[in-house]
Amino acid sequence: MRRQRPFRHAPLRALLALAAGLALVLPLGGASPGAAAAPSEAAGSAAAAGPAAAEEPPGAEPYRPQFHFSPARNWMNDPNGLVHYDGEYHLFFQYNPEGNTWGNMSWGHAVSRDLVHWEELPLALPHDEREMVFSGSVVVDRENTSGFGSPENPAMVAVYTSHAKDGSRQAQSLAYSTDRGRTWTKYAGNPVLDIGARDFRDPKVQWHEPSRSWLMTVALPLEHKVRFYRSPDLRQWTELSDFGPAGAVDGVWECPDLFPMQVDGDPERTKWVLVVNLNPGGIAGGSGAQYFVGDFDGTRFTADPDQGTRWLDHGKDYYAAVSWDGDPEGRRHMIGWMNNWQYGEQIPTDPWRSAMSVPRTMGLGTVDGRPTLTQQPVAALDSLRLPDPVAVREVDVPEGSQPLAEGRGDGRTLDIEARFSPGDAEHFGLELRAGDGQKTVVGYDAAAGEVYVDRTHSGDTGFSPDFPGTQRAPLAVRDGEVRLRILLDASSVEVFGGAGESVLTDQIFPGAPEGVRLFAEGGTARLKSLDLHRLGTYRP
């Protein structure tokens, strides 16, 4: 059987107990992202391990993302532990500190004050001789229910999946920090939730104010279920209920998330959204992220009827999507791993492999009569816009292709907002990174009512037969227009259609050309308006 998510579907055994009365202290404060520990070092000193020092600062490599987070070196997958605390957004992530493919799963760490400018910190939670540190979440224990901190200095508590290295069991464990996430201590009483299961992972924990308790949402992957637990102190957990199977069930369920959202911004209309990632079985093949809208009564989630399968993203490269807790303005932001287990270990990048999507601000709006998740890039992305934008107004797009603004729109890192009127064209849109026989097409199919990304000829596509192809998302013409926002980075394209109800995320690995061209097929479309900004980098 083809390997999809290495070892995560293997048998697991119970996590070995730590030495009686002792906790494993992970001193990170003096380390830098360039400090790497040998695999044979003791667990305590291994805590100082981070990505090995690059020969030169990252950023100049041909496919290095400029406004998407990527680690300086080595393999990265799921985002973990998303929380805002003391002015910082924390992004932990699945990380191999010792190589450029999956393995030795540990938690990497980065922080940002605006979800755009990221600082990579030393390794947070390393694997050890007993366990790999799989996905999970971080909470701020402001009332010190766990006893790990104090009301004056609340602990950040990580709730993560302990994956036994002999593959026999997965269980949920704790680690805590009282210095803003810079150093971590694994709880001596781990694991805190062990049901004896081989596949039981990815806890998302939040404070549930109505019940004055902690709420855990966790995956039973092979059963296609999400289970809910309650705890007064993060240490003792009581089972509440299960949700599923439902929606897409062609792959294992992973990385669930549960959160409330106001419908159309109305505080009197609150619904709950349950996100469930699955692999394989995604809408575009391989990895994908689905969601359910419904109600949560503190014990049980009930999905609204007749939803069908609803996808967060219709592209190939958006997985393990989870959201931040604790935003100071009460907003809900989400991020996903911008890769796919079909080919994730083969993408042609070095010395790093994988990037995160752009963080997205979520909404729940009424689309076609039902509450629908909407997504837009976080507003702070505008801070990377460079001078001299390109603006185009009221231009016919005849059959064929033509340079945008006589070539003034060419580039490799772009933020484009466009409004098209379909006219009598069958297809129309933009060709990106076009030239020398290559192009990535962002288009609209008028007959099908779909926006699409065609990366068949986008550059290097030969590393996997699952990579080239076209991904599509439904998008209605509204008020006679098709609205698109397109983010182009060195190795990715993200498309937000309409009000953000239709989203596509795809990696691309183009050559040197940077052309941007308008195109139409089967007739003439009209470009009502287009505003193009080149984007700088978040890196110093």
Side-chain angles (χ1 to χ4, degrees):
M1 187 176 91
R2 184 167 183 175
R3 187 172 66 176
Q4 293 293 334
R5 190 166 191 177
F7 300 112
R8 290 200 66 166
H9 309 151
L12 308 173
R13 69 169 168 82
L15 182 66
L16 296 176
L18 298 175
L22 295 179
L24 176 61
V25 178
L26 311 179
L28 300 177
S32 70
S40 61
E41 290 184 5
S45 58
E55 294 181 1
E56 59 183 2
E61 304 96 335
Y63 301 137
R64 174 69 76 172
Q66 298 301 303
F67 58 91
H68 294 79
F69 175 78
S70 61
R73 298 182 66 88
N74 297 340
W75 170 268
M76 174 182 73
N77 53 284
D78 306 358
N80 296 157
L82 305 184
V83 70
H84 181 276
Y85 178 53
D86 197 20
E88 294 179 322
Y89 292 94
H90 291 262
L91 168 62
F92 299 87
F93 47 89
Q94 291 287 278
Y95 184 69
N96 182 358
E98 297 155 32
N100 204 15
T101 56
W102 189 97
N104 310 307
M105 282 294 96
S106 306
W107 276 25
H109 190 194
V111 293
S112 173
R113 292 192 174 274
D114 62 0
L115 293 170
V116 172
H117 297 82
W118 292 100
E119 176 188 1
E120 187 176 359
L121 299 179
L123 197 66
L125 296 175
H127 72 102
D128 59 31
E129 69 277 7
R130 293 177 292 270
E131 69 174 15
M132 285 193 281
V133 183
F134 274 14
S135 291
S137 50
V138 169
V139 299
V140 179
D141 189 6
R142 297 187 183 277
E143 298 187 15
N144 197 33
T145 64
S146 64
F148 293 143
S150 66
E152 297 75 27
N153 184 30
M156 296 176 67
V157 182
V159 188
Y160 67 91
T161 296
S162 293
H163 174 95
K165 281 196 169 178
D166 73 352
S168 65
R169 188 170 297 182
Q170 291 178 341
Q172 315 318 319
S173 294
L174 306 178
Y176 59 92
S177 170
T178 55
D179 59 1
R180 298 168 52 245
R182 270 52 178 183
T183 65
W184 291 85
T185 301
K186 286 183 179 177
Y187 174 45
N190 284 338
V192 296
L193 180 56
D194 183 354
I195 63 172
R198 294 177 174 181
D199 289 270
F200 176 51
R201 57 179 173 266
D202 308 337
K204 181 64 185 290
V205 175
Q206 61 186 290
W207 178 253
H208 185 246
E209 182 61 28
S211 63
R212 298 290 298 165
S213 62
W214 297 102
L215 173 67
M216 178 191 292
T217 307
V218 63
L220 299 170
L222 302 183
E223 299 177 40
H224 306 116
K225 291 183 178 180
V226 168
R227 180 166 290 172
F228 303 103
Y229 289 86
R230 177 180 295 156
S231 173
D233 58 7
L234 297 170
R235 306 188 193 202
Q236 304 173 67
W237 293 92
T238 300
E239 182 179 335
L240 297 176
S241 66
D242 291 350
F243 172 81
V249 294
D250 290 338
V252 298
W253 280 19
E254 297 185 310
C255 303
D257 195 3
L258 177 72
F259 48 87
M261 296 286 290
Q262 296 177 359
V263 181
D264 298 323
D266 182 354
E268 301 300 318
R269 295 182 63 206
T270 296
K271 302 292 284 187
W272 286 75
V273 177
L274 176 64
V275 173
V276 180
N277 295 267
L278 80 159
N279 176 70
I283 179 64
S287 311
Q290 64 180 322
Y291 73 94
F292 305 87
V293 177
D295 298 298
F296 182 71
D297 63 6
T299 299
R300 184 177 301 275
F301 176 82
T302 303
D304 290 348
D306 303 322
Q307 289 195 59
T309 302
R310 309 180 73 177
W311 299 98
L312 272 174
D313 194 297
H314 288 72
K316 290 281 283 192
D317 296 307
Y318 190 72
Y319 188 60
V322 286
S323 64
W324 271 273
D325 284 328
D327 182 84
E329 297 182 16
R331 298 164 300 185
R332 181 66 54 172
H333 304 298
M334 182 168 278
I335 197 170
W337 179 50
M338 198 163 59
N339 210 338
N340 191 310
W341 283 112
Q342 287 184 327
Y343 44 74
E345 294 181 288
Q346 284 78 50
I347 61 171
T349 61
D350 184 73
W352 84 101
R353 189 169 274 130
S354 294
M356 295 297 178
S357 73
V358 161
R360 302 165 180 186
T361 300
M362 311 299 291
L364 190 63
T366 301
V367 179
D368 297 328
R370 64 176 181 170
T372 300
L373 276 181
T374 62
Q375 307 171 64
Q376 292 290 348
V378 292
L381 186 65
D382 293 357
S383 67
L384 296 183
R385 289 179 172 179
L386 300 175
D388 302 320
V390 174
V392 179
R393 299 290 185 268
E394 300 293 348
V395 172
D396 283 335
V397 185
E399 185 158 0
S401 70
Q402 55 187 301
L404 174 68
E406 300 179 332
R408 291 183 292 113
D410 292 359
R412 64 195 301 265
T413 55
L414 304 175
D415 183 351
I416 302 171
E417 296 176 275
R419 296 163 47 239
F420 288 93
S421 175
D424 60 359
E426 297 174 359
H427 297 258
F428 56 88
L430 291 161
E431 299 172 352
L432 309 174
R433 297 302 298 268
D436 297 339
Q438 77 172 35
K439 59 184 177 181
T440 296
V441 181
V442 177
Y444 188 78
D445 182 331
E450 294 175 331
V451 60
Y452 62 88
V453 174
D454 180 354
R455 64 181 184 185
T456 306
H457 304 290
S458 58
D460 186 352
T461 65
F463 53 86
S464 169
D466 293 314
F467 189 82
T470 301
Q471 288 75 55
R472 295 171 170 268
L475 181 65
V477 176
R478 300 191 188 280
D479 299 323
E481 295 182 351
V482 173
R483 295 173 177 261
L484 302 174
R485 181 163 182 192
I486 303 167
L487 300 181
L488 175 69
D489 206 341
S491 54
S492 66
V493 59
E494 290 165 288
V495 181
F496 301 82
E501 69 269 24
S502 297
V503 184
L504 295 133
T505 301
D506 277 338
Q507 296 181 95
I508 55 173
F509 300 99
E514 297 183 358
V516 177
R517 303 178 66 88
L518 293 165
F519 81 93
E521 298 173 1
T524 298
R526 186 166 182 82
L527 178 62
K528 304 289 290 182
S529 69
L530 182 145
D531 293 283
L532 179 150
H533 293 83
R534 293 177 177 83
L535 297 180
T537 180
Y538 74 83
R539 303 177 185 280

